[in-house]
Amino acid sequence: MSEADEQPAATATGREIWIEKYRPQGLDDVHGQEAIVERIQSYIDQDDVPHLLFSGPAGVGKTTTATAIAREVYGDEWRGNFLELNASDQRGIDVVRDRIKGFARSSFGGDFRIVFLDEADSLTDSAQAALRRTMEQFSDNTRFILSCNYSSKIIDPIQSRCAVFRFSPLGDEAVAAQIREIAATESIEVTDDGVDAIVYAADGDMRRAINSLQAAATTGDVVDEEAVYAITATARPEEIESMVTDALAGDFTRARSTLDTLLTDIGMAGGDVIDQLHRSVWEFDLEEREAVRLLERIGEADYRIAEGANEQVQLEALLATLALKAV
Ligand SMILES: Nc1ncnc2c1ncn2[C@@H]1O[C@H](COP(=O)(O)OP(=O)(O)OP(=O)(O)O)[C@@H](O)[C@H]1O
Ligand SMILES: [Mg+2]
């Protein structure tokens, strides 16, 4: 790796940001996405890289995989052959298209260059239609890698021109292994329950896991469960469970006060409480009927909150229906 290769990444205090420091360089270092890595490696080995469409949730390795491809294909010269753009660029699709044109037209040594377009699902259908024409126009010497959260928002003509890869949330083992590795390199002491808490709070998002580790390591000597929950605005699974079981037992007042703690003291967003509830439903010791009833109410509250309803009102109403059925 050349000296100029790495952009310095630093926090306000001058410390390096670990998500950049530990961003996998090669495809081999991308954890937990083995099937995807294997297929992409074979494209590279056969010198036959198609346009690619990556979809999946945040922090699971989409951007990382795209830059790893560029490193594998171009080695040290990867930056000159890799154009990273964000489709949600405020200045609009025309600016994006002009930059792609400028990049694709400028002369260079290799067979093709790579345009990486992040947040491609933020483009309107007509902007995507324009993008599709741009892809066709430059497909001789340019490969596109589009990244998005929802592939269903990408128009069919683009999907059919790309090999589509669906990135899944990372497995607990993959996240735990990476956290232990970074902690060892940084000489940070992390307890087992600390690792578990980071893994739980991250919910498959490696960026969130690494950021939690760094934040917890800054606040104390040992990264344990306490330290992690203190900085991640995540409820402990036990708190979520007691809130639900109290409500189901008819103790609305206690359930509501737990909810209050989550929203006010821990500072959780209502949507995050919903997500945690949803993840845990089957881990609670509930009768199937109760679990089903809870899920139904979670769906309702989730939708209303997404539509802009007051979070606290919706969550209290959720607990209230659980409590009402009990009495
Ligand atoms: N599969 C992975 N293996 C190892 N580290 C990872 C992996 N996925 C993410 N990371 C870590 O998380 C950081 C963010 O990952 P990346 O930028 O690839 O996420 P992304 O999938 O593009 O997310 P977004 O949708 O938010 O753009 C990386 O810098 C890296 O440190
Ligand atoms: Mg990304």
Side-chain angles (χ1 to χ4, degrees):
M1 199 191 320
S2 71
E3 288 235 336
D5 204 13
E6 283 315 303
Q7 284 170 335
T11 60
T13 55
R15 285 182 62 196
E16 211 171 348
I17 298 174
W18 290 355
I19 51 166
E20 289 308 331
K21 185 173 178 186
Y22 295 100
R23 188 191 282 281
Q25 311 271 297
L27 278 173
D28 283 348
D29 308 319
V30 176
H31 293 258
Q33 307 287 8
E34 285 77 13
I36 291 176
V37 165
E38 197 176 312
R39 262 177 73 197
I40 289 179
Q41 187 68 58
S42 81
Y43 291 142
I44 296 175
D45 293 345
Q46 291 162 24
D47 225 353
D48 186 17
V49 180
H51 298 311
L52 304 171
L53 174 60
F54 293 168
S55 75
V60 296
K62 300 182 298 298
T63 301
T64 303
T65 302
T67 53
I69 293 171
R71 285 176 200 270
E72 302 262 336
V73 174
Y74 310 112
D76 279 351
E77 271 94 61
W78 74 276
R79 281 188 195 280
N81 291 292
F82 185 82
L83 176 67
E84 182 172 355
L85 295 171
N86 196 308
S88 67
D89 190 316
Q90 296 298 313
R91 294 164 298 172
I93 182 66
D94 291 340
V95 174
V96 170
R97 246 170 40 213
D98 287 347
R99 292 201 54 192
I100 293 174
K101 283 183 182 163
F103 177 73
R105 283 204 185 115
S106 59
S107 62
F108 65 104
D111 293 338
F112 65 86
R113 292 171 140 182
I114 297 175
V115 172
F116 177 66
L117 187 61
D118 216 347
E119 296 189 46
D121 48 357
S122 70
L123 295 175
T124 61
D125 283 4
S126 61
Q128 288 188 36
L131 172 66
R132 170 203 152 179
R133 286 192 294 277
T134 311
M135 287 173 73
E136 271 173 354
Q137 194 179 352
F138 296 106
S139 62
D140 276 355
N141 61 4
T142 308
R143 291 297 172 275
F144 286 82
I145 305 179
L146 310 182
S147 179
C148 64
N149 292 129
Y150 303 103
S151 67
S152 57
K153 290 192 188 156
I154 303 293
I155 60 172
D156 283 345
I158 289 186
Q159 290 203 38
S160 68
R161 281 172 176 76
C162 296
V164 181
F165 290 87
R166 295 180 207 289
F167 286 66
S168 331
L170 292 168
D172 291 354
E173 300 75 33
V175 177
Q178 180 73 349
I179 289 302
R180 289 187 194 282
E181 203 177 305
I182 294 176
T185 313
E186 296 287 335
S187 306
I188 302 288
E189 192 187 333
V190 189
T191 63
D192 287 343
D193 62 15
V195 173
D196 288 349
I198 289 176
V199 168
Y200 176 77
D203 196 17
D205 177 341
M206 188 76 93
R207 181 191 292 119
R208 209 189 309 169
I210 297 172
N211 278 335
S212 306
L213 176 68
Q214 185 165 18
T218 315
T219 52
D221 297 339
V222 180
V223 176
D224 55 12
E225 200 183 35
E226 291 297 320
V228 174
Y229 284 117
I231 51 98
T232 52
T234 307
R236 292 161 189 273
E238 310 88 74
E239 288 173 301
I240 297 279
E241 177 157 18
S242 71
M243 179 174 79
V244 169
T245 45
D246 285 343
L248 284 167
D251 192 343
F252 177 71
T253 312
R254 212 159 102 179
R256 180 170 177 264
S257 121
T258 307
L259 175 65
D260 227 39
T261 312
L262 301 184
L263 295 179
T264 314
D265 299 349
I266 302 185
M268 291 180 72
D272 294 339
V273 177
I274 293 282
D275 285 346
Q276 272 196 259
L277 273 168
H278 179 240
R279 285 166 63 189
S280 324
V281 172
W282 298 110
E283 282 156 31
F284 298 159
D285 198 12
L286 299 183
E287 305 212 347
E288 181 159 320
R289 278 187 62 83
E290 289 175 331
V292 169
R293 196 146 63 81
L294 176 57
L295 264 179
E296 202 258 327
R297 286 297 299 131
I298 290 173
E300 179 100 32
D302 180 47
Y303 180 75
R304 291 181 177 178
I305 290 174
E307 290 289 307
N310 180 304
E311 299 179 338
Q312 186 150 5
V313 172
Q314 290 307 317
L315 285 163
E316 283 184 13
L318 184 157
L319 296 176
T321 35
L322 299 184
L324 269 180
K325 293 276 164 57
V327 287

